[in-house]
Amino acid sequence: MDRVLGVLVALPPALVLALVFLLPALEASTFLGLFVPGEIAVLVGGAVAHSGRLPLWAVIVAAVAGAALGDQAGYLVGRRYGRRLLARTPRRFVRSGELRRALDLVRRRGALAVVIGRWAAALRALVPGIAGLSGMPQATFTLANVAGGMLWSVTVAVLGFLAGASYRLLEHRLGLGGEAVLAVIVVVVAVRLWRHHRAARRTGPARRG
């Protein structure tokens, strides 16, 4: 893990901040969030901030700006091209029920859905466009977007900052080598991806039936 953190810390601070801004910005505006969660970059930014190469406030500001601007763009795209985009949503997200969840969330919760949707990657990519398609007033969406973006960005960046300290603490306290800690993380991520894939495969036949 020291090697992994060493690689991250060695990245130019400007590049880290650019990624912290770009990944959240592209989640809803280009639907990149359906495949690459934006919190990855924000977590990395928080971990790099722990090393002293970046101030934590800069990571948070970049994340808030990217999240808010990206979702605002997603809202505008949804308002203009929403129905066409819904028809082109990748089938695995339709089969898994993520699209239906996003539609139901906006219909039931309104502006609150914009804040709630921040905490799930697929919803974070879909909700802004659906909010635009649904006719939610732009001022209402903008207020919820900024509030949700700030809460999400601060939480994820701080978690990344704390993770930068906790990895070394785990290695020291538990006597684990960096590779062992990294292996545990890889296994946990792999299991989660496998479970999500299995659930999507089960949902598909059920819907076709």
Side-chain angles (χ1 to χ4, degrees), residues 7 32 54 119 123 147 157 163 174 182 189 192-193 199 207:
V7 171
L32 180 67
L54 278 173
W119 302 96
L123 293 180
L174 302 180
L182 179 59
V189 171
R192 290 190 63 184
L193 289 174
R207 287 185 179 278

mmCIF file of all heavy atoms in Angstrom, residues 7 32 54 119 123 147 157 163 174 182 189 192-193 199 207:
data_model
loop_
_atom_site.group_PDB
_atom_site.id
_atom_site.type_symbol
_atom_site.label_atom_id
_atom_site.label_comp_id
_atom_site.label_asym_id
_atom_site.label_seq_id
_atom_site.Cartn_x
_atom_site.Cartn_y
_atom_site.Cartn_z
ATOM 1 N N VAL A 7 2.842 6.239 -5.398
ATOM 2 C CA VAL A 7 2.549 6.616 -6.785
ATOM 3 C C VAL A 7 1.563 7.773 -6.840
ATOM 4 O O VAL A 7 1.726 8.728 -7.589
ATOM 5 C CB VAL A 7 1.990 5.407 -7.565
ATOM 6 C CG1 VAL A 7 1.472 5.837 -8.929
ATOM 7 C CG2 VAL A 7 3.074 4.342 -7.730
ATOM 8 N N LEU A 32 -20.562 9.369 -17.779
ATOM 9 C CA LEU A 32 -19.374 8.609 -17.421
ATOM 10 C C LEU A 32 -19.544 7.919 -16.080
ATOM 11 O O LEU A 32 -18.970 6.852 -15.835
ATOM 12 C CB LEU A 32 -18.153 9.532 -17.384
ATOM 13 C CG LEU A 32 -16.817 8.884 -17.019
ATOM 14 C CD1 LEU A 32 -16.375 7.911 -18.109
ATOM 15 C CD2 LEU A 32 -15.742 9.941 -16.792
ATOM 16 N N LEU A 54 -1.080 18.657 -1.303
ATOM 17 C CA LEU A 54 -2.216 19.499 -1.659
ATOM 18 C C LEU A 54 -2.943 19.922 -0.387
ATOM 19 O O LEU A 54 -3.045 19.125 0.544
ATOM 20 C CB LEU A 54 -3.209 18.747 -2.553
ATOM 21 C CG LEU A 54 -2.957 18.652 -4.048
ATOM 22 C CD1 LEU A 54 -3.979 17.723 -4.683
ATOM 23 C CD2 LEU A 54 -3.014 20.031 -4.698
ATOM 24 N N TRP A 119 -25.368 9.885 -3.601
ATOM 25 C CA TRP A 119 -24.666 8.871 -2.825
ATOM 26 C C TRP A 119 -24.661 7.497 -3.484
ATOM 27 O O TRP A 119 -24.210 6.521 -2.879
ATOM 28 C CB TRP A 119 -25.260 8.809 -1.422
ATOM 29 C CG TRP A 119 -25.146 10.158 -0.783
ATOM 30 C CD1 TRP A 119 -26.100 11.127 -0.737
ATOM 31 C CD2 TRP A 119 -23.983 10.730 -0.173
ATOM 32 N NE1 TRP A 119 -25.618 12.251 -0.123
ATOM 33 C CE2 TRP A 119 -24.322 12.042 0.237
ATOM 34 C CE3 TRP A 119 -22.700 10.255 0.081
ATOM 35 C CZ2 TRP A 119 -23.414 12.880 0.874
ATOM 36 C CZ3 TRP A 119 -21.800 11.077 0.722
ATOM 37 C CH2 TRP A 119 -22.156 12.382 1.115
ATOM 38 N N LEU A 123 -27.192 6.549 -9.806
ATOM 39 C CA LEU A 123 -28.168 7.623 -9.601
ATOM 40 C C LEU A 123 -27.522 8.984 -9.825
ATOM 41 O O LEU A 123 -28.142 9.895 -10.372
ATOM 42 C CB LEU A 123 -28.753 7.542 -8.196
ATOM 43 C CG LEU A 123 -29.621 6.325 -7.882
ATOM 44 C CD1 LEU A 123 -30.123 6.388 -6.447
ATOM 45 C CD2 LEU A 123 -30.796 6.233 -8.846
ATOM 46 N N ALA A 147 -26.120 22.285 -2.874
ATOM 47 C CA ALA A 147 -26.130 21.771 -1.503
ATOM 48 C C ALA A 147 -25.659 20.312 -1.463
ATOM 49 O O ALA A 147 -24.812 19.944 -0.630
ATOM 50 C CB ALA A 147 -27.526 21.889 -0.911
ATOM 51 N N ALA A 157 -13.943 13.739 0.253
ATOM 52 C CA ALA A 157 -12.566 14.230 0.369
ATOM 53 C C ALA A 157 -12.000 13.956 1.757
ATOM 54 O O ALA A 157 -10.838 13.549 1.897
ATOM 55 C CB ALA A 157 -12.512 15.721 0.058
ATOM 56 N N ALA A 163 -8.285 8.123 5.020
ATOM 57 C CA ALA A 163 -7.779 6.846 4.512
ATOM 58 C C ALA A 163 -6.268 6.897 4.350
ATOM 59 O O ALA A 163 -5.579 5.902 4.589
ATOM 60 C CB ALA A 163 -8.431 6.516 3.173
ATOM 61 N N LEU A 174 -1.577 -3.927 12.735
ATOM 62 C CA LEU A 174 -1.890 -5.334 12.472
ATOM 63 C C LEU A 174 -0.681 -6.114 11.983
ATOM 64 O O LEU A 174 -0.759 -7.326 11.796
ATOM 65 C CB LEU A 174 -3.022 -5.440 11.431
ATOM 66 C CG LEU A 174 -4.330 -4.739 11.810
ATOM 67 C CD1 LEU A 174 -5.357 -4.932 10.704
ATOM 68 C CD2 LEU A 174 -4.869 -5.267 13.126
ATOM 69 N N LEU A 182 -3.421 -4.120 0.399
ATOM 70 C CA LEU A 182 -3.916 -3.892 -0.955
ATOM 71 C C LEU A 182 -4.695 -5.099 -1.459
ATOM 72 O O LEU A 182 -5.731 -4.960 -2.101
ATOM 73 C CB LEU A 182 -2.738 -3.590 -1.889
ATOM 74 C CG LEU A 182 -3.082 -3.349 -3.363
ATOM 75 C CD1 LEU A 182 -4.045 -2.164 -3.489
ATOM 76 C CD2 LEU A 182 -1.818 -3.101 -4.177
ATOM 77 N N VAL A 189 -13.385 -5.254 -3.406
ATOM 78 C CA VAL A 189 -13.928 -4.620 -4.616
ATOM 79 C C VAL A 189 -14.395 -5.671 -5.613
ATOM 80 O O VAL A 189 -15.469 -5.551 -6.216
ATOM 81 C CB VAL A 189 -12.875 -3.694 -5.258
ATOM 82 C CG1 VAL A 189 -13.350 -3.208 -6.627
ATOM 83 C CG2 VAL A 189 -12.593 -2.502 -4.353
ATOM 84 N N ARG A 192 -17.705 -7.192 -4.549
ATOM 85 C CA ARG A 192 -18.825 -6.270 -4.776
ATOM 86 C C ARG A 192 -19.201 -6.226 -6.252
ATOM 87 O O ARG A 192 -20.385 -6.227 -6.603
ATOM 88 C CB ARG A 192 -18.459 -4.880 -4.277
ATOM 89 C CG ARG A 192 -18.368 -4.773 -2.770
ATOM 90 C CD ARG A 192 -18.249 -3.352 -2.308
ATOM 91 N NE ARG A 192 -19.424 -2.576 -2.656
ATOM 92 C CZ ARG A 192 -19.550 -1.283 -2.428
ATOM 93 N NH1 ARG A 192 -18.561 -0.607 -1.858
ATOM 94 N NH2 ARG A 192 -20.656 -0.641 -2.765
ATOM 95 N N LEU A 193 -18.199 -6.184 -7.133
ATOM 96 C CA LEU A 193 -18.486 -6.169 -8.567
ATOM 97 C C LEU A 193 -19.166 -7.472 -8.995
ATOM 98 O O LEU A 193 -20.103 -7.459 -9.801
ATOM 99 C CB LEU A 193 -17.198 -5.970 -9.361
ATOM 100 C CG LEU A 193 -16.571 -4.577 -9.272
ATOM 101 C CD1 LEU A 193 -15.220 -4.560 -9.975
ATOM 102 C CD2 LEU A 193 -17.500 -3.529 -9.896
ATOM 103 N N ALA A 199 -26.496 -9.910 -9.614
ATOM 104 C CA ALA A 199 -27.834 -9.345 -9.417
ATOM 105 C C ALA A 199 -28.419 -8.832 -10.723
ATOM 106 O O ALA A 199 -29.607 -8.995 -11.003
ATOM 107 C CB ALA A 199 -27.770 -8.211 -8.391
ATOM 108 N N ARG A 207 -37.138 -9.928 -15.731
ATOM 109 C CA ARG A 207 -37.903 -8.925 -16.477
ATOM 110 C C ARG A 207 -38.404 -9.503 -17.787
ATOM 111 O O ARG A 207 -39.489 -9.197 -18.231
ATOM 112 C CB ARG A 207 -37.023 -7.688 -16.736
ATOM 113 C CG ARG A 207 -36.792 -6.874 -15.486
ATOM 114 C CD ARG A 207 -36.012 -5.606 -15.821
ATOM 115 N NE ARG A 207 -35.829 -4.822 -14.628
ATOM 116 C CZ ARG A 207 -36.733 -4.003 -14.119
ATOM 117 N NH1 ARG A 207 -37.882 -3.849 -14.720
ATOM 118 N NH2 ARG A 207 -36.486 -3.309 -13.015
#
